[in-house]
Amino acid sequence: MAFTNNIMIVRHKLLADLVRLWKNDQLVEKIDRLPIELSPRKSKPLGRCCVHKERAVWRYKMFPLMGLDMTDEHDEVTPLSEYAQQALSRPEPDKENIMCVIDEACSSCIQINYEITNLCRGCVARSCYMNCPKDAIRFKKNGQAMIDHETCISCGICHKSCPYHAIVYIPVPCEESCPVKAISKDEHGIEHIDESKCIYCGKCMNACPFGAIFEISQTFDVLQRIRKGEKMVAIIAPSILGQFKTSIEQVYGAFKEIGFTDVIEVAEGAMSTTSNEAHELLEKLEKGQSFMTTSCCPSYIELVEKHIPGMKPYVSTTGSPMYYTARIAKEKHPDAKIVFVGPCVAKRKEVRRDEAVDYILTFEEVGSILDGLDIQLEQTQAFSILHTSVREAHGFAQAGGVMGAVKAYLKEEAEKINAIQVSDINKKNIALLRACAKTGKAAGQFIEVMACEGGCITGPSTHNDIVSGRRQLAQELLKRKESYETMDR
């Protein structure tokens, strides 16, 4: 795995260690010692006050990896082994929230957003003091201003009024990354995710420099059912082509080695999405609708539902590739549990809405599972997918892929359709989409919307790094010979 920061290393290593214990039937027996082994008595943790704080962080980071969160702890002296037993014995995942913040890890972040630097000249105007609504400005003996952080409410008025620009704004990384203001500090100074606003884009998770934000994992729910002999079918997103540095057939072989009954490419369902969306687009344009957006990005669907309800009439009613693939899998294996595998946090929400999909694993989790089970990709027996999907269906993994697939499918009919893409749900693009919903007008007749800047291949829960993933995906797509260009509709 091409780790881009230490947070990714920690997350990967911790889950791999837990899976390794599970593999050896020692998860319940040895989990209580794991924080001590990870941070021995004489170790000197960087950024923590002491080894005991570091061990506490290790302990609580195991909760979401076992499908739990901080609210599950009712007594601090309850050993981890009891929570591990709970994770292995529960009949189904039971958490309502998709993501959580680890209090112990979050406590290191700044508590206030503004600070006065030594650029302050102690001016006579004292605009910061005169305009502060909470009287939070104090003065040193030399006349320089300072902020009483116990009183300050981070309104920013002092920052705007300082003529010397001596007051700096210090953003909280997770808050700054969130495009819909769904994360903020509670009364204890700990970040809290408001899931009534959250669109599950995952930006905060990778923005947090302390690794305090986690998805609620279903790793052990899946592994336990495999161990019990239940039939489990993996339906794998197209962006898998850019994740692991070996042949895709060996990657699928690794899923078989994990214990999955069958592997089905979500690209197969993407072909149904392409054809249905293409026909829906033509139909709506013929009826006079000015534009239509795609519907396969679950984070975008959450954005529309929670923040831009006026966009609903313009969103395609076509199902996502996962939706169609799950039904293909259920028809082929009616007695199996279906596990979606992909790079997306928001898919966890879509899975809950789809009765045909039972569980979800991310590519990041799969990487940890392979390490924990000691499965070497280069040594796995290749497994080939019998169904051949067109190149454009695999191209759903990148920005412009859905748009390109629909246009390729429509062939000559696409020449009269102006298609544009909105890749990266940020504040600017949300404003653009809100304007389109309000006016009923857009720069294009067909708009592809993706939460991630480069499409799914740059998702928050990928295994490979963004640059390598994009490059590898592009190389893999070139190998795919089947195309709408050479097919009759």
Side-chain angles (χ1 to χ4, degrees):
M1 179 174 182
F3 298 110
T4 57
N5 61 56
N6 192 55
I7 297 302
M8 296 171 68
I9 296 173
V10 169
R11 215 158 51 201
H12 171 81
K13 173 179 173 53
L14 189 53
L15 182 54
D17 284 346
L18 292 174
V19 171
R20 193 170 293 111
L21 290 177
W22 173 87
K23 173 192 174 186
N24 297 324
D25 288 320
Q26 296 176 330
L27 183 61
V28 176
E29 178 187 344
K30 292 191 173 182
I31 193 172
D32 289 318
R33 294 197 57 82
L34 190 53
I36 299 172
E37 292 173 359
L38 292 169
S39 295
R41 177 175 293 176
K42 294 185 179 180
S43 62
K44 295 180 179 180
L46 296 175
R48 308 281 185 208
C49 60
C50 63
V51 69
H52 305 293
K53 173 75 171 182
E54 185 76 349
R55 289 173 182 174
V57 172
W58 283 120
R59 168 187 168 88
Y60 291 117
K61 283 186 175 183
M62 293 183 202
F63 275 52
L65 297 179
M66 294 190 294
L68 307 168
D69 67 15
M70 298 290 284
T71 63
D72 289 293
E73 184 186 64
H74 302 296
D75 189 338
E76 290 185 42
V77 299
T78 302
L80 276 169
S81 52
E82 289 194 25
Y83 297 110
Q85 185 61 57
Q86 180 182 334
L88 298 182
S89 60
R90 61 175 171 247
E92 294 293 339
D94 55 6
K95 299 303 294 181
E96 292 185 6
N97 49 315
I98 302 292
M99 304 178 74
C100 70
V101 178
I102 305 302
D103 295 7
E104 292 294 330
C106 183
S107 60
S108 297
C109 208
I110 60 168
Q111 300 300 307
I112 210 74
N113 292 105
Y114 294 92
E115 192 62 82
I116 300 177
T117 70
N118 59 8
L119 293 175
C120 174
R121 312 313 297 164
C123 67
V124 177
R126 297 184 176 178
S127 300
C128 57
Y129 171 78
M130 297 299 293
N131 290 289
C132 179
K134 292 295 182 180
D135 193 27
I137 302 296
R138 304 285 183 267
F139 293 94
K140 302 176 185 177
K141 289 182 179 180
N142 63 359
Q144 280 191 332
M146 60 183 288
I147 296 174
D148 178 1
H149 293 311
E150 295 296 323
T151 310
C152 178
I153 58 172
S154 289
C155 65
I157 291 176
C158 62
H159 173 69
K160 295 176 182 177
S161 62
C162 177
Y164 287 104
H165 304 287
I167 303 176
V168 295
Y169 170 65
I170 307 170
V172 177
C174 61
E175 292 179 9
E176 186 181 37
S177 69
C178 180
V180 292
K181 298 182 179 180
I183 186 166
S184 59
K185 285 184 174 65
D186 61 17
E187 64 272 20
H188 303 295
I190 303 299
E191 294 294 337
H192 169 74
I193 298 173
D194 183 349
E195 296 216 9
S196 68
K197 296 179 181 179
C198 184
I199 60 173
Y200 312 111
C201 60
K203 294 179 188 292
C204 63
M205 185 174 72
N206 290 323
C208 175
F210 297 99
I213 304 175
F214 277 75
E215 304 169 72
I216 307 293
S217 178
Q218 296 179 356
T219 297
F220 292 100
D221 298 283
V222 173
L223 291 177
Q224 274 294 91
R225 277 146 190 79
I226 289 175
R227 174 171 281 174
K228 291 176 182 177
E230 295 184 34
K231 290 181 67 175
M232 308 290 280
V233 175
I235 57 174
I236 306 181
S239 45
I240 189 68
L241 294 179
Q243 300 305 308
F244 300 95
K245 300 188 185 332
T246 185
S247 72
I248 193 61
E249 290 77 18
Q250 286 181 302
V251 174
Y252 293 153
F255 277 89
K256 294 285 287 184
E257 196 166 327
I258 290 172
F260 285 95
T261 305
D262 196 6
V263 176
I264 298 175
E265 291 180 328
V266 172
E268 186 174 347
M271 294 180 68
S272 296
T273 297
T274 301
S275 58
N276 291 339
E277 199 149 67
H279 292 300
E280 184 182 0
L281 174 63
L282 294 179
E283 183 180 327
K284 287 190 172 182
L285 293 179
E286 287 173 6
K287 289 182 177 179
Q289 184 168 305
S290 56
F291 71 93
M292 185 185 84
T293 76
T294 54
S295 57
C296 56
C297 175
S299 191
Y300 170 56
I301 298 302
E302 292 294 311
L303 176 71
V304 171
E305 289 289 333
K306 296 175 180 177
H307 300 279
I308 319 178
M311 183 63 86
K312 288 182 183 180
Y314 303 100
V315 178
S316 168
T317 58
T318 296
S320 71
M322 183 192 80
Y323 174 89
Y324 295 111
T325 309
R327 280 142 187 83
I328 293 169
K330 280 291 186 185
E331 185 174 346
K332 188 176 179 182
H333 304 281
D335 57 340
K337 297 288 187 182
I338 309 302
V339 182
F340 174 80
V341 185
C344 181
V345 175
K347 278 293 182 185
R348 295 187 185 276
K349 188 69 172 181
E350 185 183 348
V351 164
R352 292 186 181 184
R353 293 194 298 260
D354 193 334
E355 70 280 359
V357 187
D358 300 284
Y359 303 103
I360 177 172
L361 290 175
T362 65
F363 292 143
E364 185 178 48
E365 290 168 339
V366 169
S368 295
I369 290 170
L370 294 176
D371 276 6
L373 298 180
D374 195 28
I375 295 175
Q376 306 298 319
L377 284 170
E378 298 78 8
Q379 298 173 15
T380 59
Q381 184 175 349
F383 177 77
S384 299
I385 303 295
L386 296 179
H387 183 275
T388 302
S389 303
V390 295
R391 180 174 62 247
E392 291 85 357
H394 292 280
F396 268 53
Q398 61 188 355
V402 183
M403 180 178 71
V406 169
K407 294 192 75 171
Y409 177 84
L410 289 174
K411 298 182 184 296
E412 294 81 8
E413 292 172 284
E415 294 177 5
K416 57 185 179 182
I417 298 172
N418 180 29
I420 60 174
Q421 56 176 295
V422 177
S423 56
D424 189 8
I425 292 181
N426 53 33
K427 294 179 178 69
K428 180 180 177 181
N429 284 333
I430 289 175
L432 172 66
L433 292 168
R434 189 171 278 122
C436 292
K438 185 176 181 179
T439 62
K441 299 178 181 178
Q445 296 159 302
F446 185 46
I447 306 176
E448 176 192 297
V449 186
M450 291 288 178
C452 301
E453 187 174 359
C456 303
I457 192 64
T458 63
S461 304
T462 54
H463 174 75
N464 205 354
D465 72 276
I466 291 174
V467 175
S468 300
R470 280 177 160 176
R471 185 188 305 117
Q472 187 174 322
L473 174 66
Q475 292 170 348
E476 289 294 324
L477 289 177
L478 290 174
K479 299 176 184 177
R480 307 281 161 164
K481 303 303 180 185
E482 293 287 331
S483 171
Y484 284 128
E485 297 174 358
T486 57
M487 290 176 58
D488 293 326
R489 269 180 26 207

